[in-house]
Amino acid sequence: DLALKPRGMVLVTGPTGSGALERGFGQPLDLEARIADLKNETLAHLKDKHIDLQQVQKHWERLEDEYFLRHAVKTLAWHTQEIVAAAVADLPLVATRYLPESGGTEVLVYTPDRDDLFVILTGGLDRLNLSIVDARIHTTTFGFALDTFVILDHDNQPITDAQQLSKLRQELRAQLNNPRVGRDLKNALLPRTLKHFPIKTRVGFDVAPNRLSTAMEVTAHDRPGLLYQVALALQHCRIRLVTAKVATYGERAEDIFFVTARDGTPQLTDQQRTCLETGIRERLDTTNDNAANEKTF
């Protein structure tokens, strides 16, 4: 379903995402056939769940092709079951499940999209001292975010306890309803190995192959909350995340974020690039030996 070795992360958005760049330029008919097969296999998994098929079709029509290509059939079935069964009063929807095949806990968030949602979610998980080892972020055609994260606790173990999972769901819903910042990792204690073998943070920019966005490459030492700190820098500089590919190789994180200006302008100005580079480097290269990591779980 979701492989965690090597640790990695793929973030994908909806209508403005760079799908062709990530999946290659295959034949359209082959792509349509693949998506049709995925949907049919998903329906087979849902046949005993007593779900309204018209509601399923309505939900799927609001999702881009990238969504179906980025998830396994079992995951598509779980997402569909949770979302179609949810009432308006259940929003924001936060669902969880343990993934024994990959050794992580998956968190599904379905909520109206907003400019600061990426910061809220990464900050909320950071507040709980959870590590994000995989994330896939989508936007529906009617303005809802369908985001999934695979997480581990502070001991790099999945969360399986029912009480802890309930607390996680409650905390994330509370965070979405009343956003609070995560731990300020500029002042958090980094693991000893990071201090002894630091990888200097580097930020570079280029035009995305599809020319619809700017590619920002961040190379840094992997650490707790790295994604949250990048999210804060994007928010501070008023830059919109379109899609991203995040991978970790041992202690080295090599992440590519496809971004635009807040108004959708594909190419960032020199001032915007400087803002991002300075903000990211300051956040990821600053440590405080006197701070300690808070353990919530």
Side-chain angles (χ1 to χ4, degrees), residues 130-143:
L130 300 172
S131 297
I132 301 171
V133 295
D134 187 285
R136 306 182 185 205
I137 297 187
H138 305 266
T139 305
T140 70
T141 58
F142 79 127

Side-chain angles (χ1 to χ4, degrees), residues 120-130 132 149 151 168 172:
I120 292 171
L121 292 176
T122 54
L125 293 170
D126 178 67
R127 281 180 58 84
L128 298 173
N129 201 33
L130 300 172
I132 301 171
F149 299 87
I151 58 172
L168 168 60
L172 271 187

Side-chain angles (χ1 to χ4, degrees), residues 29-79:
L29 291 179
D30 292 341
L31 177 62
E32 292 178 6
R34 173 58 180 154
I35 292 173
D37 287 344
L38 288 169
K39 290 180 177 179
N40 288 332
E41 292 177 44
T42 302
L43 289 175
H45 278 271
L46 294 171
K47 65 180 181 179
D48 297 326
K49 303 299 183 180
H50 307 292
I51 295 179
D52 187 334
L53 295 183
Q54 289 186 338
Q55 291 298 317
V56 171
Q57 183 62 31
K58 184 177 180 180
H59 168 59
W60 284 354
E61 288 174 353
R62 295 168 173 168
L63 293 161
E64 297 294 314
D65 291 344
E66 288 290 349
Y67 168 74
F68 297 96
L69 296 172
R70 290 294 177 183
H71 293 283
V73 169
K74 289 182 180 179
T75 300
L76 294 173
W78 179 60
H79 290 178

Side-chain angles (χ1 to χ4, degrees), residues 280-292:
I280 291 172
R281 290 181 62 181
E282 285 183 352
R283 288 184 172 278
L284 297 185
D285 286 342
T286 303
T287 64
N288 186 331
D289 291 345
N290 296 322

Side-chain angles (χ1 to χ4, degrees), residues 11-200:
L11 308 178
V12 183
T13 60
T16 55
S18 54
L21 170 67
E22 297 189 15
R23 68 172 178 262
F25 295 91
Q27 294 296 324
L29 291 179
D30 292 341
L31 177 62
E32 292 178 6
R34 173 58 180 154
I35 292 173
D37 287 344
L38 288 169
K39 290 180 177 179
N40 288 332
E41 292 177 44
T42 302
L43 289 175
H45 278 271
L46 294 171
K47 65 180 181 179
D48 297 326
K49 303 299 183 180
H50 307 292
I51 295 179
D52 187 334
L53 295 183
Q54 289 186 338
Q55 291 298 317
V56 171
Q57 183 62 31
K58 184 177 180 180
H59 168 59
W60 284 354
E61 288 174 353
R62 295 168 173 168
L63 293 161
E64 297 294 314
D65 291 344
E66 288 290 349
Y67 168 74
F68 297 96
L69 296 172
R70 290 294 177 183
H71 293 283
V73 169
K74 289 182 180 179
T75 300
L76 294 173
W78 179 60
H79 290 178
T80 301
Q81 182 180 357
E82 292 286 347
I83 293 171
V84 171
V88 174
D90 297 324
L91 299 177
L93 173 66
V94 179
T96 56
R97 67 169 181 165
Y98 169 52
L99 300 174
E101 62 270 32
S102 60
T105 300
E106 184 175 4
V107 180
L108 165 67
V109 177
Y110 186 69
T111 185
D113 199 14
R114 50 197 288 185
D115 288 339
D116 60 351
L117 182 61
F118 190 49
V119 169
I120 292 171
L121 292 176
T122 54
L125 293 170
D126 178 67
R127 281 180 58 84
L128 298 173
N129 201 33
L130 300 172
S131 297
I132 301 171
V133 295
D134 187 285
R136 306 182 185 205
I137 297 187
H138 305 266
T139 305
T140 70
T141 58
F142 79 127
F144 263 62
L146 196 168
D147 302 345
T148 59
F149 299 87
V150 176
I151 58 172
L152 299 174
D153 66 14
H154 59 272
D155 291 322
N156 289 325
Q157 297 298 317
I159 303 169
T160 58
D161 180 75
Q163 186 175 358
Q164 290 183 337
L165 289 173
S166 177
K167 180 181 178 181
L168 168 60
R169 293 191 295 268
Q170 292 173 7
E171 289 283 346
L172 271 187
R173 286 199 70 187
Q175 179 80 356
L176 287 165
N177 289 323
N178 183 25
R180 295 168 291 170
V181 297
R183 290 177 295 124
D184 186 355
L185 293 190
K186 288 176 66 176
N187 297 318
L189 180 66
L190 291 183
R192 184 178 302 275
T193 55
L194 295 187
K195 295 177 183 179
H196 288 175
F197 306 100
I199 295 175
K200 196 71 173 177

